[in-house]
Amino acid sequence: RSDPEKPIDSLQEYDALKLRVRGDGNRYKFTIQLRNGTRYQCPFDTSPGTLQDIELPFSSFVGLSTERANEVDYYAIPLSQADRSDIAFMNIVLSKFEFNGFLNRAGVPGEFSLSIDSITAVAKPAPQIVMVTSAAVERNARIETKEQRQADIPIVQLNPQGILNWKYKGEAALRDSGLTYSVIRPCGLTTLNETTEFALDFVQGDCISGSISRKEIASLVTAALSTPTADGKTFEVRRSEAKDAVSEGAASRSVILQKLQSLIKDTDRYTTGLPILPMAVDPPAEELSKEETQQVLDDPRVKAQRAREPESQQVAGRADDEPAFVVYRDGKALPAA
Protein backbone atom coordinates (compact mmCIF):
# COMPACT_ATOMS: atom_id res chain seq x y z
CA ARG A 1 0.00 0.00 0.00
CA SER A 2 1.19 3.52 -0.74
CA ASP A 3 2.02 5.82 2.17
CA PRO A 4 -1.13 7.90 2.91
CA GLU A 5 1.10 10.70 4.19
CA LYS A 6 3.00 11.03 0.92
CA PRO A 7 1.16 12.62 -2.01
CA ILE A 8 0.83 10.60 -5.21
CA ASP A 9 1.64 12.34 -8.46
CA SER A 10 -1.31 13.14 -10.68
CA LEU A 11 -2.26 10.39 -13.12
CA GLN A 12 -4.52 12.65 -15.15
CA GLU A 13 -2.23 12.65 -18.19
CA TYR A 14 -1.84 8.87 -18.20
CA ASP A 15 -4.04 6.04 -19.42
CA ALA A 16 -2.78 2.95 -17.62
CA LEU A 17 -0.50 1.51 -14.97
CA LYS A 18 2.24 -0.96 -15.88
CA LEU A 19 3.32 -3.45 -13.24
CA ARG A 20 6.40 -5.67 -13.21
CA VAL A 21 5.71 -8.43 -10.72
CA ARG A 22 6.68 -11.97 -9.81
CA GLY A 23 3.62 -13.81 -8.58
CA ASP A 24 2.44 -17.19 -7.39
CA GLY A 25 -0.45 -18.03 -9.71
CA ASN A 26 -3.03 -16.13 -7.68
CA ARG A 27 -5.31 -13.35 -8.81
CA TYR A 28 -4.78 -9.96 -7.18
CA LYS A 29 -6.59 -6.61 -7.33
CA PHE A 30 -5.01 -3.21 -7.76
CA THR A 31 -6.90 -0.54 -5.82
CA ILE A 32 -6.98 3.21 -6.46
CA GLN A 33 -8.91 5.44 -4.07
CA LEU A 34 -9.53 9.10 -4.80
CA ARG A 35 -9.66 11.67 -2.01
CA ASN A 36 -13.38 12.13 -2.63
CA GLY A 37 -13.82 8.55 -1.36
CA THR A 38 -14.44 6.85 -4.70
CA ARG A 39 -12.60 3.55 -4.92
CA TYR A 40 -11.70 1.52 -8.01
CA GLN A 41 -10.21 -1.93 -8.48
CA CYS A 42 -8.76 -3.88 -11.40
CA PRO A 43 -8.00 -7.62 -11.08
CA PHE A 44 -4.88 -9.16 -12.60
CA ASP A 45 -3.61 -12.74 -12.77
CA THR A 46 -0.08 -13.91 -12.09
CA SER A 47 2.01 -16.92 -13.16
CA PRO A 48 3.92 -18.91 -10.53
CA GLY A 49 7.53 -17.71 -10.23
CA THR A 50 7.44 -15.79 -13.51
CA LEU A 51 8.45 -12.15 -13.88
CA GLN A 52 5.56 -10.49 -15.71
CA ASP A 53 4.78 -7.11 -17.23
CA ILE A 54 1.10 -6.43 -16.65
CA GLU A 55 -0.77 -3.42 -18.00
CA LEU A 56 -3.88 -2.15 -16.24
CA PRO A 57 -5.78 0.41 -18.35
CA PHE A 58 -7.76 2.88 -16.27
CA SER A 59 -10.74 1.97 -18.46
CA SER A 60 -10.60 -1.54 -16.93
CA PHE A 61 -10.92 -0.39 -13.32
CA VAL A 62 -14.31 -1.04 -11.69
CA GLY A 63 -15.95 1.55 -9.45
CA LEU A 64 -16.89 0.24 -6.00
CA SER A 65 -19.52 1.21 -3.45
CA THR A 66 -18.38 3.61 -0.72
CA GLU A 67 -20.75 1.94 1.75
CA ARG A 68 -20.44 -1.81 1.10
CA ALA A 69 -17.10 -3.53 0.67
CA ASN A 70 -16.44 -5.25 -2.64
CA GLU A 71 -19.80 -4.27 -4.15
CA VAL A 72 -19.84 -2.63 -7.56
CA ASP A 73 -21.17 0.91 -7.93
CA TYR A 74 -22.79 0.75 -11.34
CA TYR A 75 -23.24 4.53 -11.39
CA ALA A 76 -19.66 5.47 -10.54
CA ILE A 77 -17.86 7.71 -13.02
CA PRO A 78 -15.42 5.46 -14.91
CA LEU A 79 -11.88 5.94 -13.69
CA SER A 80 -10.78 6.70 -17.26
CA GLN A 81 -13.12 9.73 -17.16
CA ALA A 82 -12.65 10.68 -13.49
CA ASP A 83 -10.27 13.30 -12.07
CA ARG A 84 -7.13 11.28 -11.35
CA SER A 85 -5.14 14.26 -10.09
CA ASP A 86 -6.03 13.79 -6.41
CA ILE A 87 -5.39 10.18 -5.37
CA ALA A 88 -5.59 9.26 -1.70
CA PHE A 89 -3.81 5.90 -1.89
CA MET A 90 -3.14 2.80 -3.98
CA ASN A 91 -2.72 -0.79 -2.85
CA ILE A 92 -2.70 -4.38 -4.02
CA VAL A 93 -4.79 -7.07 -2.33
CA LEU A 94 -5.17 -10.81 -2.78
CA SER A 95 -8.39 -11.53 -4.63
CA LYS A 96 -10.13 -14.05 -2.39
CA PHE A 97 -13.42 -12.85 -3.85
CA GLU A 98 -14.53 -11.52 -7.19
CA PHE A 99 -16.71 -8.41 -7.29
CA ASN A 100 -20.03 -8.43 -5.42
CA GLY A 101 -18.85 -11.15 -3.04
CA PHE A 102 -18.60 -14.01 -5.53
CA LEU A 103 -15.92 -16.51 -4.61
CA ASN A 104 -12.72 -16.46 -6.65
CA ARG A 105 -12.85 -20.05 -7.91
CA ALA A 106 -9.28 -19.84 -9.24
CA GLY A 107 -7.85 -18.86 -5.86
CA VAL A 108 -5.01 -20.92 -4.40
CA PRO A 109 -5.55 -21.52 -0.66
CA GLY A 110 -2.76 -21.03 1.87
CA GLU A 111 0.22 -18.69 1.77
CA PHE A 112 0.66 -16.24 -1.06
CA SER A 113 3.53 -14.23 -2.46
CA LEU A 114 3.72 -11.25 -4.82
CA SER A 115 7.01 -9.48 -5.43
CA ILE A 116 6.65 -6.01 -6.99
CA ASP A 117 9.57 -4.86 -9.11
CA SER A 118 8.05 -1.62 -10.40
CA ILE A 119 4.84 0.34 -10.95
CA THR A 120 4.82 3.00 -13.65
CA ALA A 121 2.20 5.20 -15.28
CA VAL A 122 1.76 4.83 -19.04
CA ALA A 123 0.32 7.21 -21.61
CA LYS A 124 -1.34 5.34 -24.47
CA PRO A 125 -1.82 6.88 -27.91
CA ALA A 126 -5.29 7.66 -29.18
CA PRO A 127 -5.94 7.04 -32.89
CA GLN A 128 -4.06 9.42 -35.15
CA ILE A 129 -6.59 8.73 -37.89
CA VAL A 130 -10.21 7.65 -37.73
CA MET A 131 -11.33 6.36 -41.11
CA VAL A 132 -15.01 6.17 -42.01
CA THR A 133 -15.73 3.54 -44.66
CA SER A 134 -18.93 1.49 -44.73
CA ALA A 135 -20.46 -1.77 -43.64
CA ALA A 136 -20.30 -4.61 -46.20
CA VAL A 137 -16.70 -3.93 -47.28
CA GLU A 138 -15.36 -6.93 -45.36
CA ARG A 139 -18.10 -9.35 -46.33
CA ASN A 140 -17.55 -8.24 -49.95
CA ALA A 141 -13.83 -9.00 -49.64
CA ARG A 142 -14.65 -12.54 -48.56
CA ILE A 143 -16.65 -13.22 -51.75
CA GLU A 144 -14.95 -15.79 -53.99
CA THR A 145 -17.65 -16.88 -56.45
CA LYS A 146 -20.51 -15.32 -58.38
CA GLU A 147 -22.91 -17.60 -56.53
CA GLN A 148 -21.72 -16.27 -53.19
CA ARG A 149 -22.24 -12.71 -54.39
CA GLN A 150 -25.75 -13.45 -55.63
CA ALA A 151 -26.63 -14.92 -52.23
CA ASP A 152 -25.45 -11.86 -50.29
CA ILE A 153 -27.25 -8.60 -49.51
CA PRO A 154 -28.09 -6.25 -52.41
CA ILE A 155 -25.24 -3.77 -51.81
CA VAL A 156 -22.73 -6.61 -52.11
CA GLN A 157 -24.49 -7.88 -55.23
CA LEU A 158 -24.35 -4.43 -56.82
CA ASN A 159 -20.96 -3.23 -55.56
CA PRO A 160 -21.25 -0.26 -57.95
CA GLN A 161 -17.94 0.54 -59.66
CA GLY A 162 -16.22 -1.75 -57.18
CA ILE A 163 -16.67 0.82 -54.42
CA LEU A 164 -16.64 -1.78 -51.63
CA ASN A 165 -13.30 -3.13 -52.84
CA TRP A 166 -11.74 0.33 -53.02
CA LYS A 167 -12.96 1.26 -49.56
CA TYR A 168 -11.55 -1.94 -48.13
CA LYS A 169 -8.23 -1.31 -49.87
CA GLY A 170 -8.18 2.07 -48.14
CA GLU A 171 -8.65 0.33 -44.80
CA ALA A 172 -5.81 -2.09 -45.57
CA ALA A 173 -3.47 0.78 -46.48
CA LEU A 174 -4.24 2.50 -43.18
CA ARG A 175 -3.58 -0.68 -41.17
CA ASP A 176 -0.22 -1.07 -42.93
CA SER A 177 0.76 2.58 -42.40
CA GLY A 178 2.10 2.17 -38.88
CA LEU A 179 -0.20 4.93 -37.60
CA THR A 180 -2.56 4.45 -34.70
CA TYR A 181 -6.04 4.19 -36.16
CA SER A 182 -9.68 3.29 -35.83
CA VAL A 183 -12.00 2.26 -38.67
CA ILE A 184 -15.70 3.02 -38.37
CA ARG A 185 -18.04 1.24 -40.77
CA PRO A 186 -21.48 2.85 -40.69
CA CYS A 187 -24.45 1.04 -42.04
CA GLY A 188 -26.79 2.95 -44.36
CA LEU A 189 -26.82 6.73 -43.93
CA THR A 190 -30.25 8.12 -43.12
CA THR A 191 -31.77 11.58 -42.84
CA LEU A 192 -34.71 10.38 -40.74
CA ASN A 193 -35.10 11.33 -37.06
CA GLU A 194 -31.79 13.19 -36.94
CA THR A 195 -32.67 14.94 -33.66
CA THR A 196 -33.75 11.73 -31.92
CA GLU A 197 -31.24 9.96 -29.66
CA PHE A 198 -30.97 6.28 -30.49
CA ALA A 199 -28.93 3.59 -28.79
CA LEU A 200 -26.20 2.38 -31.15
CA ASP A 201 -25.11 -1.16 -31.92
CA PHE A 202 -21.34 -1.69 -32.21
CA VAL A 203 -20.55 -4.99 -33.95
CA GLN A 204 -17.46 -6.60 -35.48
CA GLY A 205 -17.19 -9.16 -38.26
CA ASP A 206 -19.33 -7.29 -40.83
CA CYS A 207 -22.54 -9.20 -40.25
CA ILE A 208 -25.14 -6.46 -39.74
CA SER A 209 -27.06 -3.92 -41.77
CA GLY A 210 -29.16 -0.99 -40.66
CA SER A 211 -29.11 2.79 -40.64
CA ILE A 212 -27.39 5.69 -38.89
CA SER A 213 -27.25 9.46 -39.33
CA ARG A 214 -24.23 11.58 -40.21
CA LYS A 215 -24.59 13.42 -36.89
CA GLU A 216 -24.27 10.14 -34.99
CA ILE A 217 -21.19 9.18 -37.00
CA ALA A 218 -19.61 12.56 -36.25
CA SER A 219 -20.07 11.93 -32.51
CA LEU A 220 -18.39 8.55 -32.89
CA VAL A 221 -15.44 10.02 -34.76
CA THR A 222 -14.78 12.69 -32.12
CA ALA A 223 -15.06 10.12 -29.32
CA ALA A 224 -12.73 7.66 -31.06
CA LEU A 225 -10.12 10.37 -31.66
CA SER A 226 -9.98 11.08 -27.93
CA THR A 227 -9.56 7.62 -26.42
CA PRO A 228 -6.77 5.03 -26.59
CA THR A 229 -9.36 2.26 -26.24
CA ALA A 230 -10.37 2.87 -29.89
CA ASP A 231 -6.88 2.27 -31.25
CA GLY A 232 -6.43 -0.61 -33.68
CA LYS A 233 -10.12 -1.46 -33.86
CA THR A 234 -12.52 -1.83 -36.79
CA PHE A 235 -16.25 -2.03 -36.23
CA GLU A 236 -19.67 -1.65 -37.81
CA VAL A 237 -22.28 0.63 -36.27
CA ARG A 238 -26.00 1.21 -36.68
CA ARG A 239 -28.96 2.54 -34.77
CA SER A 240 -30.32 -0.14 -32.51
CA GLU A 241 -33.51 -1.69 -33.84
CA ALA A 242 -34.74 -2.67 -30.39
CA LYS A 243 -38.15 -1.33 -29.37
CA ASP A 244 -36.59 0.64 -26.50
CA ALA A 245 -33.72 2.03 -28.59
CA VAL A 246 -34.86 5.65 -28.20
CA SER A 247 -33.97 7.16 -24.84
CA GLU A 248 -32.12 10.16 -23.44
CA GLY A 249 -28.46 9.38 -22.90
CA ALA A 250 -28.61 6.20 -24.99
CA ALA A 251 -25.71 7.44 -27.14
CA SER A 252 -23.94 9.67 -24.62
CA ARG A 253 -20.18 10.08 -24.76
CA SER A 254 -19.82 7.87 -21.69
CA VAL A 255 -21.83 5.07 -23.31
CA ILE A 256 -19.86 5.37 -26.55
CA LEU A 257 -16.53 5.15 -24.71
CA GLN A 258 -17.67 2.04 -22.86
CA LYS A 259 -18.71 0.38 -26.11
CA LEU A 260 -15.41 1.29 -27.77
CA GLN A 261 -13.59 -0.32 -24.86
CA SER A 262 -15.47 -3.60 -25.31
CA LEU A 263 -14.38 -4.03 -28.93
CA ILE A 264 -11.55 -6.36 -29.98
CA LYS A 265 -8.38 -5.11 -31.67
CA ASP A 266 -7.97 -6.19 -35.28
CA THR A 267 -4.84 -8.16 -34.40
CA ASP A 268 -6.68 -10.07 -31.66
CA ARG A 269 -9.74 -11.19 -33.61
CA TYR A 270 -8.67 -14.83 -33.53
CA THR A 271 -8.89 -14.87 -29.72
CA THR A 272 -12.67 -14.43 -29.79
CA GLY A 273 -13.64 -16.36 -32.91
CA LEU A 274 -14.17 -13.27 -35.07
CA PRO A 275 -13.31 -13.80 -38.75
CA ILE A 276 -9.75 -12.78 -39.58
CA LEU A 277 -9.66 -9.71 -41.81
CA PRO A 278 -9.46 -10.89 -45.43
CA MET A 279 -6.93 -9.73 -47.99
CA ALA A 280 -7.84 -6.74 -50.13
CA VAL A 281 -8.62 -7.71 -53.72
CA ASP A 282 -9.55 -5.91 -56.91
CA PRO A 283 -13.22 -5.47 -57.89
CA PRO A 284 -14.89 -8.16 -60.01
CA ALA A 285 -13.72 -8.09 -63.61
CA GLU A 286 -17.28 -7.73 -64.89
CA GLU A 287 -19.97 -5.42 -63.54
CA LEU A 288 -23.59 -6.47 -63.47
CA SER A 289 -25.57 -6.18 -66.66
CA LYS A 290 -28.55 -3.82 -66.79
CA GLU A 291 -30.86 -6.76 -66.37
CA GLU A 292 -28.96 -8.07 -63.34
CA THR A 293 -28.85 -4.60 -61.82
CA GLN A 294 -32.60 -4.18 -62.28
CA GLN A 295 -33.20 -7.55 -60.67
CA VAL A 296 -31.34 -6.40 -57.56
CA LEU A 297 -33.19 -3.06 -57.52
CA ASP A 298 -36.49 -4.91 -57.65
CA ASP A 299 -35.61 -6.62 -54.38
CA PRO A 300 -38.34 -5.87 -51.76
CA ARG A 301 -35.69 -4.54 -49.37
CA VAL A 302 -34.55 -1.98 -51.91
CA LYS A 303 -38.09 -0.86 -52.66
CA ALA A 304 -38.90 -0.59 -48.96
CA GLN A 305 -35.90 1.70 -48.38
CA ARG A 306 -36.86 3.91 -51.29
CA ALA A 307 -40.41 4.15 -49.96
CA ARG A 308 -39.16 5.20 -46.51
CA GLU A 309 -36.81 7.91 -47.79
CA PRO A 310 -37.92 8.99 -51.25
CA GLU A 311 -36.07 12.34 -50.97
CA SER A 312 -32.88 10.83 -49.59
CA GLN A 313 -29.69 10.14 -51.49
CA GLN A 314 -29.91 6.57 -50.28
CA VAL A 315 -31.14 3.64 -52.23
CA ALA A 316 -31.75 0.05 -51.20
CA GLY A 317 -32.80 -0.96 -47.74
CA ARG A 318 -34.85 -3.51 -45.93
CA ALA A 319 -38.30 -4.94 -45.94
CA ASP A 320 -40.35 -3.85 -42.94
CA ASP A 321 -39.20 -6.85 -40.92
CA GLU A 322 -35.57 -6.97 -42.12
CA PRO A 323 -32.40 -4.98 -41.30
CA ALA A 324 -31.55 -2.00 -43.49
CA PHE A 325 -28.60 -1.31 -45.74
CA VAL A 326 -27.67 1.44 -48.16
CA VAL A 327 -26.27 1.71 -51.68
CA TYR A 328 -24.34 4.79 -52.86
CA ARG A 329 -23.26 6.03 -56.26
CA ASP A 330 -21.64 9.45 -56.54
CA GLY A 331 -23.92 10.78 -53.82
CA LYS A 332 -27.05 10.10 -55.89
CA ALA A 333 -29.62 7.39 -56.11
CA LEU A 334 -28.54 4.49 -58.25
CA PRO A 335 -30.56 4.58 -61.48
CA ALA A 336 -33.06 1.82 -61.94
CA ALA A 337 -31.76 0.94 -65.38
Side-chain angles (χ1 to χ4, degrees):
R1 172 176 173 148
S2 62
D3 188 342
E5 302 301 322
K6 294 182 179 180
I8 298 175
D9 292 339
S10 171
L11 297 177
Q12 193 64 25
E13 301 303 316
Y14 299 94
D15 304 293
L17 294 177
K18 187 174 183 179
L19 316 182
R20 172 160 284 192
V21 300
R22 190 183 301 274
D24 56 1
N26 270 305
R27 171 172 290 184
Y28 293 83
K29 290 178 181 175
F30 197 105
T31 306
I32 295 178
Q33 180 157 322
L34 307 182
R35 293 198 182 277
N36 64 9
T38 308
R39 187 162 51 102
Y40 300 86
Q41 283 187 332
C42 182
F44 64 93
D45 294 317
T46 62
S47 298
T50 303
L51 189 63
Q52 296 174 269
D53 288 321
I54 299 174
E55 191 169 282
L56 307 178
F58 293 138
S59 57
S60 296
F61 279 73
V62 177
L64 300 179
S65 170
T66 57
E67 300 176 356
R68 296 174 296 278
N70 203 40
E71 289 193 18
V72 173
D73 180 358
Y74 295 98
Y75 300 97
I77 298 173
L79 182 58
S80 58
Q81 302 173 44
D83 182 0
R84 301 185 297 279
S85 63
D86 197 14
I87 296 174
F89 70 84
M90 299 187 293
N91 68 17
I92 297 177
V93 297
L94 178 67
S95 180
K96 291 184 178 181
F97 296 92
E98 304 290 358
F99 296 113
N100 291 333
F102 293 105
L103 182 66
N104 175 15
R105 297 173 62 87
V108 179
E111 295 183 354
F112 60 92
S113 173
L114 180 69
S115 175
I116 302 173
D117 184 76
S118 63
I119 301 175
T120 56
V122 179
K124 305 288 288 182
Q128 295 167 285
I129 295 180
V130 173
M131 176 180 282
V132 179
T133 60
S134 68
V137 298
E138 182 180 334
R139 63 197 297 168
N140 175 75
R142 294 195 292 260
I143 295 292
E144 296 182 353
T145 66
K146 185 174 182 179
E147 290 73 25
Q148 290 173 343
R149 186 171 300 281
Q150 291 173 337
D152 217 307
I153 59 176
I155 180 56
V156 173
Q157 295 179 47
L158 289 171
N159 190 19
Q161 298 179 351
I163 186 63
L164 297 178
N165 296 82
W166 300 124
K167 286 185 176 183
Y168 189 73
K169 285 196 171 192
E171 291 185 8
L174 177 58
R175 294 189 188 98
D176 290 341
S177 69
L179 298 172
T180 55
Y181 72 89
S182 182
V183 177
I184 300 176
R185 297 171 174 169
C187 291
L189 300 181
T190 182
T191 57
L192 297 178
N193 303 312
E194 292 185 307
T195 60
T196 304
E197 188 169 9
F198 289 84
L200 300 177
D201 293 331
F202 291 51
V203 180
Q204 293 177 287
D206 206 351
C207 57
I208 64 167
S209 50
S211 63
I212 188 171
S213 72
R214 292 167 178 81
K215 179 180 178 181
E216 289 163 323
I217 297 170
S219 296
L220 289 179
V221 170
T222 56
L225 282 168
S226 69
T227 177
T229 59
D231 177 39
K233 297 178 179 180
T234 298
F235 63 98
E236 294 77 46
V237 61
R238 69 178 180 187
R239 287 176 173 174
S240 173
E241 298 179 353
K243 292 183 178 180
D244 58 351
V246 178
S247 64
E248 185 176 354
S252 67
R253 177 179 174 81
S254 176
V255 170
I256 289 174
L257 292 177
Q258 289 176 4
K259 291 188 175 184
L260 288 172
Q261 178 187 344
S262 68
L263 298 173
I264 302 298
K265 283 182 175 288
D266 292 344
T267 52
D268 296 334
R269 280 182 162 220
Y270 70 94
T271 64
T272 61
L274 280 172
I276 302 301
L277 289 168
M279 295 178 62
V281 296
D282 289 336
E286 296 182 7
E287 289 197 1
L288 297 182
S289 66
K290 290 184 177 181
E291 292 75 15
E292 291 172 323
T293 298
Q294 187 59 53
Q295 185 177 4
V296 176
L297 295 177
D298 286 338
D299 188 294
R301 294 168 291 184
V302 178
K303 292 183 175 181
Q305 177 65 26
R306 285 179 163 177
R308 276 192 298 272
E309 299 189 64
E311 303 301 324
S312 169
Q313 293 183 342
Q314 316 307 323
V315 252
R318 64 179 178 194
D320 291 339
D321 59 346
E322 296 182 11
F325 62 89
V326 175
V327 177
Y328 305 86
R329 175 168 284 182
D330 300 327
K332 298 180 181 179
L334 191 66

